[in-house]
Amino acid sequence: MTATVIDGKAFAANVRGQVAEHVTRLKEEHGITPGLAVVLVGEDPASQVYVRNKGKQTVEVGMNSIEHKLDASTTQDELLAVIESLNADPSVHGILCQLPVPDHIDGDTIINAIDPAKDVDGFHISNVGLLGTGQKAMVPCTPLGCLMMLREHHGSLSGLNAVVIGRSNIVGKPMANLLLGDSCTVTIAHSRTADLPGVVKQADIVVAAVGRPQMVPGDWIKPGATVIDVGINRIEKPEGGTRLVGDVDYDSCADVAGAITPVPGGVGPMTIACLLANTVTACCRANGLAEPVGLTA
Ligand code: NDP
């Protein structure tokens, strides 16, 4: 293996440390405690784990954590009423509704009901538009985490060829916009891309956000490229049980790449850290205060 391993766990701990410092300053100098509200509808086990982790880390950095756990039978109107009350609450600076919501609720309607200034997931159509036009937005957490790690590793990203594999609204497209904002030459690849190996081979930066275990082999990677693996896939182990793997074949890619994020311990830990960063940013913007440097796009 030749690649430098980008340690997302350590990076996320550093981001959380910076967030905690800002929270302390907001409390001591302005008497403001940032508050993050998380709304969960239903009993989805994975969502419950995410929400618990978010709540725990929110409290650990000194912010208020507000949780609304609603029954799976909650109607769309009832959920909208909860969102409206959080929009109107000045002690709440960030709101997220854990996705997916049950089938009888339209996720887009809920996301677009959140006050864009409190939309710390960055999924509201206004924030999507602001990011797409290079204006100050709330930025989706996972791509923001990837961008932070890339900036730390490369310094300037200007002029680098970046290939993002995946065109989802939550990862692929915002990632491409962020890289464009940092003056990369960006290609977005997807399931219909012709000659994906050839496209990936051109990249100085590869971001894989596909959801297919170990899909990208080392021989697609340009020697020295930086590989950011967003994928989280659970596969069977030959000896029984399961393990987490990314969208890239770690061992073969690490032999060729200049730097690579592992799974687990790469992009994953950055997502909640960036959610906390976004909440501090939203709190500063709401109160007309200078926002933290280095914690936004
Ligand atoms: P989606 O399923 O929404 O999007 C997957 C994308 O991959 C689509 O654009 C699809 O193309 C593309 N794709 C599928 N198959 C191929 C293929 N054979 N070749 C090229 N492209 C392909 O996934 P998400 O963006 O939501 O998530 C991607 C991965 O990232 C998942 O493993 C997910 O678990 C993980 N993830 C991790 C997070 C973290 O915190 N680390 C957060 C969010 C997601 P097309 O549009 O043409 O169908």
Side-chain angles (χ1 to χ4, degrees):
M1 186 186 118
T2 57
T4 300
V5 179
I6 300 177
D7 184 348
K9 213 169 155 186
F11 204 105
N14 181 284
V15 170
R16 288 196 303 275
Q18 292 180 58
V19 169
E21 280 174 27
H22 284 287
V23 171
T24 301
R25 201 169 311 138
L26 281 164
K27 285 180 180 173
E28 289 178 355
E29 295 177 11
H30 303 282
I32 301 167
T33 304
L36 172 61
V38 178
V39 183
L40 173 63
V41 186
E43 311 282 321
D44 179 59
S47 295
Q48 285 179 328
V49 172
Y50 288 138
V51 167
R52 200 177 316 129
N53 284 341
K54 285 169 186 171
K56 186 167 163 276
Q57 294 189 31
T58 302
V59 171
E60 280 170 2
V61 295
M63 300 201 274
N64 288 332
S65 169
I66 303 108
E67 285 182 14
H68 287 264
K69 291 187 176 156
L70 307 177
D71 194 82
S73 64
T74 302
T75 66
Q76 179 160 308
D77 283 347
E78 287 167 339
L79 179 54
L80 285 171
V82 171
I83 301 287
E84 281 309 318
S85 72
L86 294 170
N87 282 345
D89 184 342
S91 71
V92 172
H93 304 95
I95 303 169
L96 77 81
C97 182
Q98 185 68 43
L99 298 174
V101 285
D103 288 345
H104 64 277
I105 296 174
D106 179 47
D108 285 340
T109 302
I110 300 305
I111 300 296
N112 290 324
I114 295 172
D115 178 347
K118 298 188 180 188
D119 167 40
V120 282
D121 258 343
F123 296 157
H124 190 288
I125 193 71
S126 299
N127 283 314
V128 174
L130 290 168
L131 177 61
T133 51
Q135 300 179 70
K136 193 186 275 189
M138 295 306 303
V139 175
C141 303
T142 300
L144 177 58
C146 296
L147 183 76
M148 284 183 186
M149 291 193 287
L150 284 166
R151 282 178 175 170
E152 169 75 14
H153 183 72
H154 283 270
S156 170
L157 305 182
S158 180
L160 296 178
N161 280 333
V163 172
V164 179
I165 317 175
R167 55 174 161 180
S168 73
N169 290 335
I170 63 167
V171 187
K173 284 179 197 155
M175 186 75 247
N177 270 322
L178 288 170
L179 291 166
L180 202 53
D182 271 28
S183 298
C184 290
T185 303
V186 182
T187 304
I188 306 179
H190 46 76
S191 67
R192 307 294 177 89
T193 296
D195 187 18
L196 185 60
V199 170
V200 172
K201 198 83 181 185
Q202 302 300 314
D204 303 305
I205 293 170
V206 181
V207 181
V210 184
R212 293 171 68 97
Q214 300 168 309
M215 189 191 88
V216 178
D219 60 10
W220 292 11
I221 302 296
K222 176 168 136 180
T226 300
V227 177
I228 303 290
D229 192 352
V230 180
I232 303 177
N233 310 286
R234 194 167 283 284
I235 61 165
E236 305 283 331
K237 289 197 283 193
E239 67 271 29
T242 61
R243 70 183 178 109
L244 288 182
V245 296
D247 289 342
V248 310
D249 179 45
Y250 184 82
D251 290 340
S252 63
C253 287
D255 278 342
V256 187
I260 188 166
T261 59
V263 176
V267 174
M270 286 298 286
T271 298
I272 297 183
C274 288
L275 176 69
L276 304 175
N278 275 349
T279 305
V280 167
T281 299
C283 178
C284 291
R285 289 180 186 171
N287 288 283
L289 301 169
E291 55 192 70
V293 175
L295 295 182
T296 52

